[in-house]
Amino acid sequence: MIRGIAHVGIGVKSLDEALRFYRDTLGLEHHKTEVVRGGLIRAALLHLGDTEIELLEPLSADMPLARRGEGLHHIALVTDDATAEMARLREQGVQPLQEAPERGLSGLVFFLPPKAYHGALIEIEEPAG
Ligand code: CO
């Protein structure tokens, strides 16, 4: 079951520069930075009420995140069980981008291809403990 928004992901050129705005100017609490996706993305999480903002800096120039430039990138929806949700969506005819949920910055995640689902990149996330 989908039960809320885990975070909104934003592509940025420079994580350090973006943090000066989201953390210092807006005043959001930055609580995590990690290199994810096998060294391809430097990502940061900031608390925003019950949800979060995720900033994504591409570390390779020829990846889709870099080619797409800065701006809104994806919306992550919360589920209690990413594996069960993936199976349920497959039964509905949905083809996720991953074979199985993967460990992401903030939990167990998989993505749905935007071209098939009305243009928005949707991430499904089972938050870590
Ligand atoms: Co995300």
Side-chain angles (χ1 to χ4, degrees):
M1 190 179 80
I2 303 292
R3 58 175 174 82
I5 293 178
H7 60 261
V8 173
I10 298 172
V12 302
K13 267 191 216 150
S14 158
L15 198 54
D16 297 325
E17 248 176 60
L19 281 171
R20 281 200 279 279
F21 174 69
Y22 286 95
R23 179 194 55 207
D24 303 341
T25 306
L26 290 184
L28 306 185
E29 184 201 342
H30 171 219
H31 66 96
K32 195 175 201 180
T33 296
E34 249 178 51
V35 173
V36 295
R37 301 232 132 216
L40 288 175
I41 295 175
R42 205 166 145 243
L45 279 172
L46 301 100
H47 289 303
L48 177 56
D50 291 339
T51 180
E52 295 189 296
I53 296 279
E54 180 181 62
L55 303 175
L56 304 158
E57 178 192 330
L59 297 178
S60 160
D62 62 352
M63 57 191 296
L65 177 63
R67 287 198 300 271
R68 189 171 168 151
E70 294 195 295
L72 280 180
H73 182 261
H74 66 272
I75 297 177
L77 306 179
V78 184
T79 183
D80 293 320
D81 184 337
T83 306
E85 191 60 30
M86 184 181 248
R88 189 185 74 80
L89 289 171
R90 281 212 173 100
E91 278 169 22
Q92 306 287 320
V94 171
Q95 298 297 327
L97 287 171
Q98 287 77 27
E99 280 303 309
E102 296 174 355
R103 187 58 59 192
L105 182 59
S106 52
L108 208 50
V109 306
F110 63 94
F111 288 86
L112 306 182
K115 281 192 178 128
Y117 303 109
H118 313 283
L121 178 57
I122 301 290
E123 177 179 15
I124 308 289
E125 176 186 291
E126 174 187 334

Coordinates of all heavy atoms in Angstrom, one line a residue, residues 7-9 54 56 74-76 106 109 111 123 125, ligand 1:
H7 N 9.9 11.6 0.0 CA 10.7 12.8 -0.3 C 10.4 13.2 -1.8 O 9.8 12.5 -2.6 CB 12.2 12.5 -0.1 CG 12.8 11.4 -0.9 ND1 13.0 10.2 -0.5 CD2 13.2 11.5 -2.2 CE1 13.5 9.4 -1.4 NE2 13.7 10.2 -2.5
V8 N 10.9 14.4 -2.0 CA 10.9 15.0 -3.4 C 12.4 15.1 -3.7 O 13.2 15.7 -3.0 CB 10.2 16.4 -3.4 CG1 10.4 17.0 -4.8 CG2 8.7 16.2 -3.1
G9 N 12.8 14.5 -4.9 CA 14.1 14.5 -5.3 C 14.4 15.7 -6.3 O 13.6 15.9 -7.3
E54 N 15.4 15.6 -1.1 CA 16.6 14.9 -1.5 C 17.3 15.6 -2.6 O 16.7 15.9 -3.7 CB 16.2 13.5 -1.9 CG 17.4 12.6 -2.3 CD 17.0 11.2 -2.8 OE1 16.2 11.1 -3.8 OE2 17.3 10.2 -2.2
L56 N 20.3 15.7 -5.4 CA 21.1 14.7 -6.2 C 22.1 15.4 -7.1 O 21.7 16.1 -8.0 CB 20.1 13.9 -7.0 CG 18.9 13.2 -6.3 CD1 17.8 12.9 -7.3 CD2 19.4 12.0 -5.6
H74 N 12.3 13.6 -9.1 CA 11.4 12.5 -8.9 C 10.6 12.7 -7.6 O 11.0 13.6 -6.8 CB 12.1 11.1 -8.8 CG 13.0 11.0 -7.6 ND1 14.4 11.4 -7.7 CD2 12.9 10.5 -6.4 CE1 15.0 11.1 -6.5 NE2 14.1 10.6 -5.7
I75 N 9.5 12.0 -7.4 CA 8.7 12.0 -6.2 C 8.8 10.5 -5.6 O 8.6 9.6 -6.4 CB 7.3 12.4 -6.4 CG1 7.2 13.8 -7.0 CG2 6.5 12.2 -5.1 CD1 5.8 14.2 -7.3
A76 N 9.2 10.4 -4.4 CA 9.3 9.1 -3.7 C 8.0 8.9 -2.9 O 7.7 9.7 -2.0 CB 10.5 9.0 -2.9
S106 N 17.8 6.3 1.7 CA 16.9 6.4 2.8 C 16.1 5.1 3.0 O 15.2 5.1 3.8 CB 16.0 7.6 2.7 OG 15.3 7.6 1.5
V109 N 14.4 0.8 -2.3 CA 13.7 1.6 -3.3 C 13.6 0.9 -4.7 O 14.5 0.1 -5.0 CB 14.3 3.0 -3.5 CG1 14.4 3.7 -2.1 CG2 15.7 2.9 -4.1
F111 N 12.2 2.2 -9.0 CA 11.6 3.3 -9.8 C 10.7 2.8 -10.8 O 10.8 1.7 -11.3 CB 12.7 4.1 -10.4 CG 13.6 5.0 -9.5 CD1 14.6 4.4 -8.8 CD2 13.2 6.3 -9.3 CE1 15.4 5.2 -7.9 CE2 14.0 7.1 -8.4 CZ 15.0 6.5 -7.7
E123 N 9.5 7.1 -7.5 CA 10.3 6.1 -6.7 C 9.3 5.6 -5.7 O 8.5 6.3 -5.1 CB 11.4 6.9 -6.1 CG 12.3 6.1 -5.2 CD 13.5 6.9 -4.6 OE1 13.4 8.1 -4.6 OE2 14.4 6.2 -4.0
E125 N 9.4 3.7 -2.0 CA 10.4 3.6 -1.0 C 9.9 2.9 0.3 O 8.8 3.3 0.8 CB 11.0 4.9 -0.6 CG 12.0 4.8 0.6 CD 12.5 6.2 1.0 OE1 13.2 6.9 0.3 OE2 12.1 6.6 2.2
Ligands
CO1 CO 14.8 9.5 -4.1

